[in-house]
Amino acid sequence: QVQLDESGGGLVQTGGSLTLSCAASERLGVGGAMGWFRQAPGKEREFVAADTGLLTTYADSVKGRFTISRNIGKNTRYLQMNDLRPEDTAIYYCAAGQVTTAAVKKEDAWTYWGQGTQVTVSF
C-alpha cells in the first residue's frame, strides 16, 4: 500500500507560480507511474500531467506552463506550475500506480491518490 501526502497549495495572483509536492510512503516498483489531476468547483476531475517512465504527458490546458518531476531518492514528485491563471483554480491530487502511457488520462487507471491540496489563482 502506498500513501501519498501533498503540500504546496495556496493562494497566488494571476501570472504567479507554485510548486506542489507529493511524498510517497514507499518507492513504486518497476513500471510505476506518477501523475497529477485536478478538480475545479462544478467540474469533473481532469487529467493534468503524468510520467510513466517511458513518456511524459501534459494536458493541452497546461502544456508549456506546468512541469512534472520527481526526486526518486526521497520518493517525492513535484508539479511546477508557472504563469498561473484563474482557470487553474482547483483541488490538485497526485496519483500513483502501474499505469501505461496510453491510460494515464483515465482516473480509474490509477491505484493510489493523495488527499488533495487547494490551489487558488486570483485575478
Side-chain angles (χ1 to χ4, degrees):
Q1 290 290 103
V2 177
Q3 295 183 335
L4 307 176
D5 296 313
E6 300 183 11
S7 62
L11 175 65
V12 65
Q13 294 185 55
T14 297
S17 299
L18 284 174
T19 299
L20 304 183
S21 300
C22 180
S25 61
E26 59 188 275
R27 186 178 67 84
L28 296 176
V30 176
M34 61 177 184
W36 292 90
F37 287 74
R38 67 186 182 186
Q39 186 168 22
K43 293 187 176 182
E44 299 294 320
R45 189 173 299 185
E46 66 173 340
F47 171 78
V48 176
D51 184 359
T52 64
L54 178 65
L55 187 70
T56 302
T57 304
Y58 295 93
D60 289 341
S61 60
V62 307
K63 195 173 300 181
R65 299 188 297 120
F66 291 11
T67 302
I68 191 171
S69 64
R70 57 181 153 189
N71 185 322
I72 298 176
K74 295 178 63 177
N75 295 330
T76 302
R77 70 277 302 282
Y78 307 93
L79 183 67
Q80 175 67 50
M81 306 184 294
N82 298 320
D83 191 24
L84 285 162
R85 307 162 180 172
E87 54 263 41
D88 294 318
T89 295
I91 300 175
Y92 283 71
Y93 301 87
C94 61
Q98 301 292 323
V99 184
T100 64
T101 298
V104 295
K105 296 181 179 181
K106 301 180 174 64
E107 289 184 66
D108 293 344
W110 299 86
T111 302
Y112 308 105
W113 293 87
Q115 297 300 307
T117 185
Q118 177 70 50
V119 172
T120 302
V121 184
S122 67
F123 289 94

